[in-house]
Amino acid sequence: MNGVCAMTSYFERSLKVVPGGVHSPVRSFKGLHTSPLFIERAEGGCLYDTDGKSYIDFCMSFGPLILGHKDPEVEESLRLALGKGWTYGASERYSLELAEYIVERIPFVQQIRFVNSGTEAVMTALRLARGYTGRDKVIKFSGCYHGHCDSMLIKAGSGVASLAEASSLGVPLGVTQDTYVLELGDTRRLTQLFDEQGTKIAAVIIEPLPANNGLLIQDPQFLRELVNHTKRFGALLIFDEVISGFRTGFGGMSSALGINPDLVTYGKIIGGGLPVGAVGGKHEIMQMLAPVGDVYQAGTLSANPLAMVAGLATLKKLNVDFYARLDKYSNAIVELFRRALLPRIVSEIISYRSLFWIKSTNFYELFQRTLQQGIYLAPSACEVGFVSGAHCCDKVMESLEQKLRW
Ligand SMILES: *Cc1c(COP(=O)(O)O)cnc(C)c1O
């Protein structure tokens, strides 16, 4: 069977048994007139599909793989842990070590609880904020993504500014009524909303570096305003650092900005490519969680030992030298893309540390051409690109330069 045929048939088989053929919508290549690749294996900075074709991977599983695929040290740690078992439903040392490793290095994370995904982390942070403050309302911002829990699938309404609408079917009206949606950077509306409703607001949640609808770098002054307003009214500030945590430096955007949010959510890198999310923050707030406090949260596979091991092995490699090298190579990679792509099908490339966003005038064309050349970008115009430690070598740079010569 030739390759094209094999690929089509995997996707066709998948379409029969899985909605849209995929287990997360952004994997579907929707609107790109191509069947999604089926991946056979991956190594370093490269993906290999079931046809044996290789791609330099800038999707990197949408962010978790800051060291690249199959990092040898993560692999070795996983092998050792695997030999002992893979879930106990009881306390073990790996989650203790990962918790200590983070709490010792990120000052405002005084306690942490591990869950299985970024969505779960956000869900828990919101419940915790509501439980702690005894209030219901939450403020979020257009352009930020916080996973798929009901109260975050809300967009600004078409009518009165502060009224929100669900962005998915199946979200109850009551939930939409407890969420306000504001525009990023709109301090005027923010002040107004706090002046009117401040004592009812449990939390403001934001991606301090919004990276799910392109890369929307925020004015630090705007983020400081969030601190002022939440402090003034006793609401909590939640930084959703599921993408930016351990990415823009070990302490994420919180450390970069010198802002201590009341609660932070992590995901992606924290599990090194295995499913982990976490909520962390002030001791007093974290103590509201069960079994100490009355805010309930639980998980059969939470802090799964293998996932903890992958996370710990990953985080242990993220030192100052690692980030310096990653930044240096990221800049060089973005420069290569700029030279090859501007200005015809790409209007601008925005980057921050090892994240970049190619703003294209025709994403379909950009995606097809790069894919043909053996470069895998995330299959959506809204998604950012991720550089990993495995991209930081001359071999990858030379290969990329070659592929971009068209
Ligand atoms: C990816 C992401 C989430 C959701 O995490 P999942 O693990 O996909 O549930 C939440 N918030 C932000 C900022 C994210 O980037």
Side-chain angles (χ1 to χ4, degrees), residues 24 62 116-120 122 144-148 207 209 211-212 240-244 265 267-268 276-277:
S24 189
F62 294 96
N116 299 288
S117 68
T119 295
E120 252 190 86
V122 166
C144 289
Y145 176 69
H146 302 291
H148 63 95
E207 283 181 84
L209 178 66
N212 280 286
D240 182 352
E241 296 231 50
V242 171
I243 278 195
S244 53
T265 53
K268 301 193 169 110
V276 182

Side-chain angles (χ1 to χ4, degrees), residues 33-79:
H33 314 291
T34 321
S35 299
L37 305 181
F38 270 71
I39 303 305
E40 183 67 27
R41 65 185 185 91
E43 178 124 26
C46 286
L47 278 180
Y48 300 82
D49 69 13
T50 44
D51 268 358
K53 189 168 180 207
S54 72
Y55 304 85
I56 301 182
D57 182 10
F58 288 107
C59 176
M60 281 289 148
S61 195
F62 294 96
L65 299 171
I66 194 166
L67 302 176
H69 293 282
K70 249 172 128 265
D71 176 81
E73 285 162 61
V74 178
E75 188 178 4
E76 183 56 23
S77 308
L78 276 171
R79 270 188 212 290

